[in-house]
Every structure is written in C-alpha cells, then in structure tokens.
Amino acid sequence: HNQMNTMDLSIMKSLLECPVCFTIPRNQSIFLCNNSHKICKTCFDLLEVKVCPQGKCEYAGENPMRNRDLEKIISECDIELSCNNWREGCTVEAKRKVLEEHESECDFRTVPCPCNCGSNTMFSKLQDHLKDSHRRTHFKGKGESLSITWILKESHFSWNTKIFVNGVWENMDGQRFYCHFEKLDGKWISWICVEGGERTSRMLKSVIKIKSKKGDTDIEFEGEVFSIDTAKNDK
C-alpha cells in the first residue's frame, strides 16, 4: 500500500511539474502552446524566442492559453513543493505550510542591504557584501547591549540636514543586529533589525534609550525588531 502511494505521488508530480525546469509551479500561471505542451510562467518569461521548448510549437500571442485545471490542483493539493529559491541553489522540498516557514529564513532568499545602499543580495552572501561595500560605514559591538556615543552639533538640527548612522551589534549568543539612527524630513528616527526572517524577529523586542550629553534628559522607546527582509520604507 505504501509502495502504491509512493508510485501515485511520483506520477502526480510528473503530471504537475513544468517539463522545462522539472519543478511544480507555485502561485503562478501555467501556459500552454498550441499543442497543449505546458510550461510555467517563470520558464516562459525566460524564453528569448517565444517558441515551445518541447516541440517548437507556437504560443497564442503574448498572452498564451493557461492550464487553469493544473493551477487549481496545485493550489489545493497537499503535496511537497520546491522552495521558491531553488534556482539560487536551495534543495529543500516540503508541503506548503512548512515550506512557507522555511522560505522566511532560507539562506538563498534575497534581502535588502541593511545599510540602505539600494542593493539586494542573497542572505548567505550578505556578510561578503557588507565587507566589500560598507567596511568603513559600520562599527561593531558585542555583549548585552550596544551603546553609541554621538555628539549632535547645531547644524544637525537644520531641517534639510541628512543624517544616517549604522551600528552592527552581536548579542552573547552571536545573533547579529543592525541599529539605525536617521534624520529624515526633519524627524529623528531609530530602528533595529535582526539578521533573520520574520519568525526570528517576532520573538524579539527592542529598547532604545537616548540620553542628553548632560544626562538630564532621557528618552526610552520599546518596540518591535524588524526582520532583515523588511524594506526601509515598510518600517
């Protein structure tokens, strides 16, 4: 019985997967050529010449026919699927719910640079990017908390003055955080993001304290920690 189930799943997978990339398409269209050969949208978009790879058949214009039956089966069937980052090298396969959790922390996912340089990089190569592009803009701390001493000048309070300060801090367990302090449109903004996905960030809280030079004024703010996947404009 178990052998039969394995065979059934193998047959189902071969019927559902794209014959070009050999993965089951997720959350995307499945196109058909004029002879009903299927192809996932990702592979279709990668075709330099819009001709069916299986039989050199034609597609019905820029918007080919879709196999909506297969799309519906994939969206509702509880089968193992490939990680969305398989093209980048991830080999994880799992059922949808488990896979979505994995993808939020996948080492092969693309994340925005925490220094806000506008570039995106693979999570596993983030440290290489920071060393190559931001060696001079970072300072590091390690321990139970991070203390930044920064003296504000009168010119810093000008409305048009732009300020951006980065700090990299590791806690006692080696978990890395990025601490930011910025003046944007006349407002002072501070936030912290963790080198991890949403599952990691949900378990954390941040406390940011600001003290005056004389020590007579303290501002304390407790808030969330953002995942490194969160773009600056979404914070």
Side-chain angles (χ1 to χ4, degrees):
H1 181 69
N2 289 338
Q3 185 177 4
M4 188 65 173
N5 285 341
T6 302
M7 185 179 299
D8 289 344
L9 289 173
S10 177
I11 294 173
M12 178 179 288
K13 182 176 180 181
S14 67
L15 292 173
L16 297 178
E17 68 186 11
C18 170
V20 179
C21 61
F22 299 107
T23 61
I24 298 176
R26 291 174 54 202
N27 306 320
Q28 62 173 301
S29 301
I30 300 174
F31 294 140
L32 295 172
C33 71
N34 291 343
N35 286 322
S36 298
H37 297 131
K38 61 182 181 290
I39 185 173
C40 70
K41 183 180 185 301
T42 301
C43 289
F44 178 82
D45 291 341
L46 291 173
L47 293 176
E48 293 184 6
V49 179
K50 302 303 182 187
V51 176
C52 174
Q54 295 186 75
K56 304 302 180 183
C57 323
E58 295 183 352
Y59 290 102
E62 296 182 2
N63 299 305
M65 295 181 293
R66 289 171 57 182
N67 193 325
R68 296 181 184 274
D69 289 338
L70 281 188
E71 292 173 15
K72 186 173 181 61
I73 290 172
I74 292 171
S75 66
E76 297 185 0
C77 191
D78 190 25
I79 56 176
E80 288 195 346
L81 302 165
S82 298
C83 172
N84 272 333
N85 303 306
W86 70 269
R87 291 179 186 270
E88 283 68 44
C90 184
T91 59
V92 171
E93 291 186 355
K95 293 187 177 180
R96 193 179 301 273
K97 187 174 181 180
V98 175
L99 201 58
E100 288 174 353
E101 292 218 356
H102 156 78
E103 287 170 343
S104 71
E105 305 279 349
C106 180
D107 286 345
F108 293 89
R109 74 191 191 278
T110 299
V111 298
C113 173
C115 296
N116 295 290
C117 69
S119 65
N120 295 295
T121 186
M122 188 183 296
F123 180 79
S124 61
K125 297 180 179 179
L126 177 61
Q127 291 307 307
D128 292 336
H129 168 75
L130 295 176
K131 289 177 182 178
D132 293 341
S133 304
H134 303 286
R135 185 183 298 273
R136 296 182 180 180
T137 60
H138 268 62
F139 53 88
K140 295 183 178 180
K142 190 167 186 176
E144 295 183 356
S145 63
L146 174 66
S147 178
I148 301 174
T149 301
W150 190 48
I151 299 175
L152 294 174
K153 300 178 182 179
E154 187 173 346
S155 59
H156 290 147
F157 291 91
S158 169
W159 180 267
N160 295 323
T161 300
K162 294 182 179 180
I163 297 169
F164 192 85
V165 180
N166 289 307
V168 182
W169 170 69
E170 288 185 6
N171 63 16
M172 301 301 288
D173 296 324
Q175 194 172 33
R176 189 177 287 110
F177 296 82
Y178 297 87
C179 312
H180 305 288
F181 183 53
E182 179 176 7
K183 186 183 180 187
L184 184 65
D185 296 331
K187 297 179 181 179
W188 301 89
I189 303 170
S190 182
W191 72 93
I192 296 174
C193 63
V194 62
E195 196 169 284
E198 292 184 6
R199 184 175 57 186
T200 300
S201 65
R202 284 196 300 264
M203 298 185 292
L204 300 166
K205 289 289 184 182
S206 66
V207 177
I208 300 173
K209 298 179 181 179
I210 301 175
K211 295 185 177 182
S212 67
K213 184 178 180 181
K214 297 180 180 179
D216 56 355
T217 304
D218 292 351
I219 300 174
E220 182 174 323
F221 172 77
E222 180 176 338
E224 62 184 305
V225 173
F226 296 95
S227 76
I228 202 167
D229 303 79
T230 310
K232 175 182 171 182
N233 292 338
D234 294 333
K235 294 181 174 69

